[in-house]
Amino acid sequence: MALGHGGRSLPNVGSEYVEDPPEGMRIGIALSGGGIRSAAFNLGAMQALQRQHVLERADYLTGVSGGNYVASALTITGAYSDPDTDNGKPHWSNGSVEERYLRQHTNYLAPGRVGRLWLALSMVYGFILNYLPFVLCAFIGGRLTGWALNLLGQPLEQLRLNGLALPASPMLTVLLIAAGALSVTAVLLVAYRRFNDIRRSPRNYGETRSEGVAANLVTLVCVISVLLVLPLLASLYGTVSAALIPLLFPEQPETFDTTQGRIAIAAVWLVLSLVLAIAALALSRRFRALRLMLVLSGLGSAGLLLVPLLSSLEYAARVGIRSAGDLLGVLIAIAVVGLMAIKVHNRRYSMHLFYRERLNSVFALRRRTDEGGNVVCEPIGYDERLYFSKVGCKLGASGRRMPKLIVCCAVNLTSDEVPVGRFAESFTFEHDQSGGGLFGRRGTDWYEEQAGLPGTQLTLPSIMAVSGAALSPLMGRFTYPPLRFLMALTNVRLGVWIKNPLHPRWERKPEPPRGWAGRLRASVRDGWHEPGACTCCARRWAPPSPPTASST
């Protein structure tokens, strides 16, 4: 095919297929990814294909990331524009109203001062809601553990090893003996398995009970090791923090034992951890200084998680329960965690929401005629919910000849059915069916029927954002455990949760839970997987209302 470039004509490659394709041959156009730069490149390529009348002959149009921005924009504009606005100018062609609108809004992610501030506030908002449950759980665990040690009369200074001599604390002695006994038992189970392999034909790994028991024993040893290390870290945290207090409050060195001092020193450590985390995230986007990035990721995530735990543990073990206010604080923290588990889903504060709405504001356009008879374009409000299944049907009803849109995405998973270190599987969205080789294919409307609060539905702009989600804790071969944990902890992700079509839950009708305890368990369980769990439960399992006069 011939493509115009700067007034020159490129070689006429494949023109015999474009002008008169053989019977049964279909034409597909694939647009590569790479963010807004690839979107600009692919827009120019699509305009060249429009001039050569290739786009209208194509059967399929597929894209990923920035290429999908352009592909989806062509489909949305063709489906929602007024028929009398074509006036010989194809949608998104060179010099079209859509192209001019895009040129005027290239800073769509953060337009102007207000846009940049809104982006910063959105990131802070998402980080707080994502980080708050971790802080509260660490606070609760530290307080309960510290109070238990205080009631047992076990100071943190005694919970440490003293060279080769036995530790002074009987509790530490018991933990060390238990860890040693469990380790020896696990090794004996391995020897038992090897002895049986000699006597009979060996089995595959994971098929014998001894392997499962040995794995559980090793897990218990790891838990005991954490219990042994935490008091030492808490004591070290208290010593270093007490040394820093005179630098923060030179006139009141005793402030360390007050609430003001505890909050101040914890804030200092958290700010330092955030600085390390931001530096690690900045290095991760450049894929440079890999070792430094991994070290900073580990230190930043460990600081964000351990500071509230160690601060609470050290204070509770040293002071104990001083008043009813201490118990009330723990009860309030437990109530907040439970409330967030039921009512607050991560899709409500994920950066995906911001990302998809910004893409919608610049790529979801439609033409119309203004009062002066001029053809203009305007963004389609996100509240109109451009479901992919409806967009495809609307495009077919418009009579415009457009190729079928196929959006390429990746499903992040840790299944054994994907190659080691890949953590992803191909997943494509179409207006009628969506899925992949691992999950099979279902109707797209099945995925779009997300029961939940408004704003969490899977629309075409949402699918565009998923296709261009360059930031995720799981990033294929670029997945590193320290960075993965840090990104999950700080809410750095642009993807979205969707239904797993292979889950047995969708193959059977949910049974209504029995009693208030069953409803509470169902609400908490759904709260971690589905948006608006309480609303879903109330609507899904509400007893049928008695028939009214009009219905009978």
Side-chain angles (χ1 to χ4, degrees):
M1 56 187 170
L3 301 180
H5 178 70
R8 296 175 297 173
S9 180
L10 297 180
N12 200 20
V13 180
S15 59
E16 66 275 11
Y17 294 139
V18 175
E19 297 174 358
D20 189 17
E23 184 179 356
M25 175 174 285
R26 297 183 178 182
I27 300 176
I29 301 174
L31 306 181
S32 63
I36 190 61
R37 290 177 294 181
S38 70
F41 173 82
N42 287 309
L43 178 59
M46 295 302 296
Q47 291 173 350
L49 293 175
Q50 282 179 334
R51 290 194 298 268
Q52 298 296 326
H53 304 287
V54 177
L55 182 61
E56 62 188 35
R57 293 189 178 95
D59 297 283
Y60 302 102
L61 177 61
T62 180
V64 63
S65 187
N68 177 55
Y69 300 166
V70 176
S72 298
L74 283 167
T75 303
I76 293 174
T77 306
Y80 285 86
S81 295
D82 296 336
D84 55 349
T85 58
D86 293 347
N87 62 11
K89 201 73 169 177
H91 299 150
W92 291 92
S93 60
N94 188 15
S96 62
V97 290
E98 295 86 8
E99 185 191 59
R100 291 199 301 269
Y101 184 89
L102 179 60
R103 288 180 180 274
Q104 296 170 0
H105 297 83
T106 53
N107 59 343
Y108 61 93
L109 284 180
R113 179 180 61 87
V114 176
R116 288 189 290 271
L117 291 177
W118 183 254
L119 173 60
L121 290 175
S122 299
M123 296 179 66
V124 173
Y125 166 77
F127 168 73
I128 291 176
L129 284 183
N130 191 75
Y131 183 52
L132 185 59
F134 291 96
V135 174
L136 294 179
C137 290
F139 168 76
I140 296 169
R143 279 296 174 95
L144 296 179
T145 305
W147 287 342
L149 293 176
N150 184 270
L151 292 176
L152 294 174
Q154 298 291 332
L156 293 178
E157 292 75 12
Q158 295 183 5
L159 297 177
R160 63 177 63 183
L161 297 177
N162 187 19
L164 297 178
L166 289 177
S169 172
M171 180 181 296
L172 189 58
T173 304
V174 172
L175 291 177
L176 289 174
I177 294 175
L182 293 175
S183 301
V184 172
T185 305
V187 173
L188 292 177
L189 286 175
V190 174
Y192 172 77
R193 164 71 192 273
R194 290 291 177 264
F195 181 74
N196 281 339
D197 288 346
I198 297 175
R199 297 175 54 188
R200 65 186 71 172
S201 58
R203 302 182 185 180
N204 295 328
Y205 286 107
E207 293 184 355
T208 60
R209 183 178 300 178
S210 59
E211 294 175 13
V213 174
N216 293 331
L217 292 178
V218 173
T219 303
L220 290 177
V221 172
C222 294
V223 172
I224 293 176
S225 301
V226 172
L227 295 178
L228 293 174
V229 172
L230 276 181
L232 178 62
L233 293 178
S235 179
L236 180 62
Y237 172 85
T239 303
V240 177
S241 299
L244 291 178
I245 280 293
L247 301 178
L248 300 177
F249 303 95
E251 299 179 356
Q252 299 177 343
E254 69 280 358
T255 311
F256 182 64
D257 288 332
T258 64
T259 303
Q260 178 185 3
R262 308 293 300 187
I263 295 177
I265 195 64
V268 170
W269 289 116
L270 288 178
V271 169
L272 179 60
S273 301
L274 275 176
V275 171
L276 296 177
I278 293 173
L281 293 174
L283 290 175
S284 68
R285 297 303 303 149
R286 300 179 181 272
F287 295 104
R288 298 176 181 175
L290 178 60
R291 295 181 180 178
L292 178 61
M293 182 266 292
L294 295 179
V295 171
L296 294 179
S297 300
L299 293 176
S301 56
L304 291 174
L305 194 60
L306 290 179
V307 165
L309 175 63
L310 298 180
S311 176
S312 178
L313 173 60
E314 192 272 340
Y315 181 73
R318 184 162 50 86
V319 178
I321 303 176
R322 296 195 303 178
S323 63
D326 294 341
L327 292 174
L328 182 61
V330 172
L331 293 178
I332 292 176
I334 294 175
V336 172
V337 172
L339 184 63
M340 294 188 68
I342 298 174
K343 295 294 294 184
V344 183
H345 191 273
N346 58 6
R347 285 185 63 180
R348 299 297 297 169
Y349 55 82
S350 171
M351 288 303 296
H352 169 82
L353 303 178
F354 175 87
Y355 189 38
R356 71 181 185 185
E357 291 170 3
R358 300 314 304 162
L359 290 177
N360 185 93
S361 67
V362 72
F363 288 105
L365 306 177
R366 62 182 166 198
R367 287 187 184 182
R368 66 175 182 86
T369 305
D370 61 5
E371 297 178 355
N374 300 318
V375 176
V376 296
C377 72
E378 62 180 7
I380 302 175
Y382 192 80
D383 54 351
E384 292 193 27
R385 298 181 186 176
L386 304 178
Y387 291 112
F388 198 1
S389 58
K390 296 181 180 179
V391 171
C393 297
K394 193 173 182 63
L395 182 62
S398 66
R400 292 187 175 92
R401 178 68 174 88
M402 285 287 294
K404 182 179 182 180
L405 176 62
I406 302 175
V407 181
C408 299
C409 303
V411 177
N412 295 330
L413 44 81
T414 56
S415 173
D416 295 334
E417 300 185 24
V418 298
V420 177
R422 181 175 171 181
F423 301 111
E425 175 67 17
S426 176
F427 196 96
T428 58
F429 287 96
E430 304 174 32
H431 75 270
D432 49 358
Q433 289 187 343
S434 301
L438 184 60
F439 301 96
R441 304 190 67 82
R442 283 180 178 263
T444 302
D445 54 353
W446 183 84
Y447 289 99
E448 294 171 344
E449 293 173 356
Q450 295 280 5
L453 300 177
T456 63
Q457 289 79 10
L458 188 66
T459 60
L460 182 53
S462 180
I463 296 174
M464 292 169 58
V466 170
S467 179
L471 290 176
S472 175
L474 286 175
M475 294 188 295
R477 63 187 182 91
F478 295 107
T479 300
Y480 304 102
L483 182 63
R484 174 186 176 185
F485 181 77
L486 177 62
M487 296 179 74
L489 188 64
T490 55
N491 194 42
V492 180
R493 56 177 180 268
L494 297 177
V496 68
W497 294 97
I498 63 173
K499 295 179 180 179
N500 182 359
L502 299 182
H503 198 282
R505 176 181 178 183
W506 311 117
E507 302 298 334
R508 62 179 185 272
K509 294 183 178 180
E511 298 181 359
R514 300 177 181 178
W516 65 269
R519 287 180 177 270
L520 180 61
R521 285 195 301 269
S523 299
V524 174
R525 180 193 63 216
D526 289 350
W528 296 106
H529 301 285
E530 292 293 325
C534 279
T535 306
C536 295
C537 292
R539 181 168 58 250
R540 185 183 304 164
W541 288 310
S545 57
T548 60
S550 59
S551 62
T552 56

